[in-house]
Amino acid sequence: MSVLKAFIAEVNVRNVRKTMTIYISTALTTIGIVRLFTDVYGLPAWLFPMAVTLLTCGLASAFVFAWYHGSPGSQRVRAKEGILHALIFVVAVGVSLAVARSPRSPLPARVGKSIAVLPFKNMSASPQDDYFTDGIMEDILTQLSKIGELRVIARSSVMKYRGQETLDVHAIGEELGVAALLEGSVRREDKRVRIRGVLINTADGEQLWSEQYDRELRDVFAIQTDVAQRIAAALKTQLSPEETERIEKRPTGSLEAYGFFLRGRDYYNRYTKEDNERAIAMFKQAISLDPHYALAYAGLADAYSQRVQRFDFPQTWADSSLALSHRAIELDPDIAEPYKALGLAYAQRGAYTKAMAEYQKALRINPNFASVAYNIAFTYSAWGRYDDAMPLYVKAIQLTPGRATYYVGLGEAYLGAASDSLAEQYFRRALQLDPEQPDAYANLIQLRFLNGRYEEAFALADSAVARIPDAVYLLAMAAEARLFAQEYGAAEPHFERWRALVGEQGAPFTQLGFLALRRGNTARGNALLEKAISLASQQLKEWGKESGPAYDLCRAYVATGNRQRAVNALHEVLARGLAWWRWIENDPVLASLRQMPEAASLLAAMRTRVEHLRARAAVSPEHPRLEVSP
């Protein structure tokens, strides 16, 4: 004790406390500044942890300095002090480099009340019962998803574990970012079903709950409800009365209709044109057996929308999807699937405001609906509301680890908020997950030409288009890279290829018209720009808050020399959000517009909004960030 008292007394004499207080205060302020500048101005992601590491190591150096120089007259540097500072410096640099180089997990830390439902094993005699086993697993997952306190990993992220005989629960927990796994098996014999479930703690492999149900097939819905409630209890989750009611509701009174619904959903999830046809037939059979089966109507609506979205069927299929979605909502307004289907149908018709309202209803009912969270985030991004999009993209990724598309969306939000280093990390993470992801390449090209790095953009565009030749967005960014670099002769073949790929309704008439005028072909240029203005004006009326048609209109009016109408179109672009602000600043087509006083005033106001956006998009509890491997 005497030694400790002597040490404390010496600390007081040497003013160590005062020095350390000043150092800690300064260090915390510096950390805050580094965090702000890293997030707002897109500085490298490793800069912040390195700064924290250096400043933490600096505590020891500050203590040594105070010990040797805190007393009056103690100013001469002694050899021992120099050696200590040198050692601290070496340790600080070594630790900082290790921190900067260390791989970062693509997921946040495991959340306590979180679960992944792994594919159940089919223990029936017939392999043809796989659809039934998968359906039971997915329905249990859906029941759990209705519980607001739980984070439930989406089906698409767990199906890769199907058929694996031995599973490392700890490794899966780390990969998916969950605290618990549900394993199970299903055996169906005649009119009986045996379902076994085991809930496992991913931290230590301990069983948290297990149960085997051996009942009549007609009890299958009661089994699913009981499993969901028991898991909620095991994970210490409180169910609200509304959640309990949703979990206990039977979707249909017809087991035969339920069987057709499960087959339909199984075919739907395969995402091929042939399986889409089969899914539609199955959903129709389910509806014929139970005309009040809301989930079957929602499944059929989704399958119709899938025809338009994936297989280029006419828009009339989206109209049919609208009618089916409304019917499903009439039958059961308390399930999420019809609202999601209705939102998708509205989006395909360009009615994004209506789509957003339906998506939000779906997410309120099912907080773990990953595709809906993504759709909302995507819509916010289309409106230039990147700060609102970011947390929803994060939510979608947390619910569906390994989905490359979701990382692309998050990267696009950070690209829009001018956090380019973070945007690039997310695009590259998407390519780690899916090396053939065309939108990731397209955005990496865009990031380069928006920053004037044209040669890099060209090289990446050429290699990516050679690898994925029929991706429209990728081809569009390859063409725009040449346009922004003002290499107009090289740009035109890319735009013509884009036109050939998409047809007249999605053709880049504005860009082709602008290029024709640059070549002196006035007649062709004016004809193309007239088409562009007609198409963009029509889309502007039909597409709600979508800003793309307004931007095309602005470009076309500038190209024709009608600058006042171009200014009016610029008003429309900016009234619809900040989705195009980086293009407005750099687009060579708009060069003359940026010189007009009225347009300059609009652009100044836009820059102010952009600064506010950057500040709001900085990391905060409301805007969590995922770390990714470099």
Side-chain angles (χ1 to χ4, degrees):
M1 289 296 293
S2 58
V3 174
L4 179 60
K5 286 181 179 179
F7 175 75
I8 293 173
E10 196 65 26
V11 164
N12 292 331
V13 169
R14 297 172 186 262
N15 289 317
V16 172
R17 289 181 181 176
K18 180 180 178 181
T19 303
M20 296 302 291
T21 300
I22 294 171
Y23 178 86
I24 291 171
S25 176
T26 305
L28 290 174
T29 302
T30 304
I31 288 170
I33 292 170
V34 172
R35 166 70 80 170
L36 177 64
F37 275 70
T38 300
D39 296 330
V40 174
Y41 296 105
L43 299 178
W46 50 260
L47 188 62
F48 177 74
M50 179 178 277
V52 171
T53 304
L54 285 171
L55 289 167
T56 302
C57 293
L59 278 169
S61 197
F63 183 88
V64 170
F65 177 85
W67 186 265
Y68 281 98
H69 302 284
S71 301
S74 301
Q75 303 304 319
R76 187 168 59 86
V77 177
R78 301 176 185 177
K80 187 184 293 186
E81 180 191 356
I83 292 170
L84 288 172
H85 282 305
L87 287 172
I88 293 167
F89 177 78
V90 170
V91 170
V93 170
V95 173
S96 298
L97 290 174
V99 168
R101 292 173 180 172
S102 63
R104 289 170 173 78
S105 167
L107 292 168
R110 193 183 295 133
V111 179
K113 295 181 181 179
S114 56
I115 184 172
V117 182
L118 299 182
F120 283 15
K121 293 180 181 178
N122 176 18
M123 306 300 288
S124 304
S126 172
Q128 294 181 351
D129 272 352
D130 281 348
Y131 82 90
F132 184 79
T133 301
D134 289 346
I136 295 295
M137 165 262 183
E138 188 167 349
D139 281 342
I140 290 173
L141 186 154
T142 301
Q143 294 287 62
L144 291 168
S145 295
K146 298 172 184 176
I147 302 172
E149 283 189 36
L150 278 183
R151 181 169 64 85
V152 184
I153 300 300
R155 174 189 182 277
S156 59
S157 289
V158 297
M159 292 308 291
K160 63 183 177 182
Y161 301 111
R162 182 178 180 176
Q164 295 186 19
E165 291 300 321
T166 57
L167 296 171
D168 184 336
V169 295
H170 181 72
I172 295 173
E174 288 289 337
E175 183 178 351
L176 299 179
V178 294
L181 298 177
L182 178 66
E183 296 181 328
S185 62
V186 178
R187 181 189 295 274
R188 184 170 65 161
E189 293 178 349
D190 296 326
K191 294 184 179 181
R192 294 194 67 81
V193 63
R194 179 179 297 163
I195 299 174
R196 182 173 185 268
V198 181
L199 186 67
I200 303 170
N201 186 333
T202 60
D204 55 17
E206 179 186 352
Q207 285 192 15
L208 301 174
W209 166 85
S210 67
E211 188 71 57
Q212 180 165 298
Y213 302 86
D214 192 348
R215 299 188 189 176
E216 295 288 328
L217 188 58
R218 64 172 179 265
D219 293 331
V220 66
F221 300 123
I223 295 172
Q224 293 170 4
T225 297
D226 190 65
V227 169
Q229 291 177 334
R230 299 223 178 200
I231 288 173
L235 296 178
K236 298 179 173 56
T237 300
Q238 295 293 322
L239 296 180
S240 69
E242 293 81 8
E243 290 168 345
T244 301
E245 184 179 350
R246 287 172 188 152
I247 289 171
E248 291 179 348
K249 182 182 292 184
R250 289 173 61 93
T252 178
S254 169
L255 286 177
E256 192 176 358
Y258 178 61
F260 279 112
F261 171 76
L262 292 185
R263 286 189 178 95
R265 190 170 62 188
D266 181 59
Y267 285 129
Y268 175 88
N269 286 329
R270 299 180 190 183
Y271 298 113
T272 70
K273 187 176 180 180
E274 294 74 19
D275 286 317
N276 178 266
E277 297 282 352
R278 296 186 184 102
I280 288 171
M282 294 296 107
F283 289 136
K284 285 182 175 179
Q285 284 275 30
I287 291 169
S288 70
L289 290 164
D290 181 357
H292 297 92
Y293 196 172
L295 278 174
Y297 280 99
L300 187 57
D302 258 343
Y304 282 175
S305 287
Q306 191 182 77
R307 285 189 157 191
V308 180
Q309 185 177 31
R310 289 180 178 269
F311 310 122
D312 297 321
F313 276 66
Q315 191 67 32
T316 51
W317 289 95
D319 298 337
S320 298
S321 178
L322 279 175
L324 289 164
S325 301
H326 281 298
R327 177 59 178 153
I329 292 168
E330 288 174 10
L331 292 169
D332 191 346
D334 295 323
I335 56 176
E337 288 81 358
Y339 296 105
K340 177 253 188 180
L342 183 57
L344 186 58
Y346 276 134
Q348 286 169 343
R349 297 179 63 181
Y352 294 104
T353 305
K354 289 183 177 179
M356 175 67 87
E358 302 307 323
Y359 291 147
Q360 289 173 333
K361 290 175 189 174
L363 199 62
R364 279 196 294 271
I365 294 171
N366 183 348
N368 288 286
F369 214 147
S371 62
V372 172
Y374 171 80
N375 289 345
I376 295 173
F378 182 86
T379 306
Y380 276 138
S381 278
W383 294 345
R385 292 171 57 179
Y386 302 113
D387 54 321
D388 290 321
M390 288 172 189
L392 284 156
Y393 278 130
V394 170
K395 182 182 181 75
I397 291 171
Q398 289 173 330
L399 295 171
T400 316
R403 187 74 173 266
T405 306
Y406 294 177
Y407 279 96
V408 172
L410 185 58
E412 287 176 338
Y414 277 107
L415 178 64
S419 293
D420 290 353
S421 64
L422 285 167
E424 174 138 1
Q425 286 186 58
Y426 294 128
F427 298 143
R428 293 201 175 280
R429 176 59 181 162
L431 290 172
Q432 288 175 354
L433 295 167
D434 180 4
E436 302 293 316
Q437 221 300 328
D439 291 354
Y441 284 115
N443 280 292
L444 286 169
I445 294 164
Q446 182 185 182
L447 189 152
R448 279 152 179 73
F449 73 69
L450 286 175
N451 286 288
R453 293 155 57 189
Y454 299 122
E455 293 302 323
E456 292 179 41
F458 300 158
L460 183 57
D462 291 344
S463 64
V465 170
R467 186 171 186 171
I468 316 169
D470 296 327
V472 175
Y473 185 45
L474 174 56
L475 193 58
M477 291 303 102
E480 294 286 2
R482 264 78 181 186
L483 180 66
F484 271 62
Q486 301 182 39
E487 294 193 5
Y488 299 129
E492 191 160 10
H494 287 79
F495 284 113
E496 288 290 2
R497 187 174 172 188
W498 174 2
R499 179 182 184 179
L501 198 61
V502 301
E504 297 299 284
Q505 283 301 304
F509 291 125
T510 300
Q511 297 92 319
L512 288 169
F514 170 78
L515 293 172
L517 291 180
R518 294 283 309 184
R519 283 190 287 103
N521 192 338
T522 306
R524 171 177 164 78
N526 287 334
L528 288 167
L529 289 166
E530 186 177 331
K531 278 188 177 182
I533 290 169
S534 174
L535 181 61
S537 299
Q538 178 187 344
Q539 291 171 339
L540 201 58
K541 293 176 183 177
E542 295 176 353
W543 288 15
K545 291 178 69 175
E546 169 63 44
S547 58
Y551 189 74
D552 282 341
L553 204 57
C554 182
R555 272 179 145 182
Y557 281 135
V558 172
T560 58
N562 195 332
R563 297 205 297 172
Q564 187 52 54
R565 287 196 172 184
V567 170
N568 295 339
L570 183 61
H571 274 286
E572 284 289 336
V573 175
L574 296 178
R576 293 161 189 259
L578 292 171
W580 293 93
W581 75 268
R582 298 191 73 171
W583 284 54
I584 294 168
E585 292 270 66
N586 297 283
D587 191 345
V589 179
L590 303 185
S592 62
L593 179 68
R594 288 192 289 269
Q595 306 305 314
M596 293 179 63
E598 187 176 351
S601 176
L602 284 173
L603 295 179
M606 178 191 75
R607 291 183 190 106
T608 301
R609 290 170 62 192
V610 167
E611 289 303 319
H612 291 157
L613 168 67
R614 284 174 173 167
R616 291 198 307 272
V619 172
S620 71
E622 291 75 31
H623 298 93
R625 170 150 319 141
L626 300 177
E627 294 288 353
V628 300
S629 303

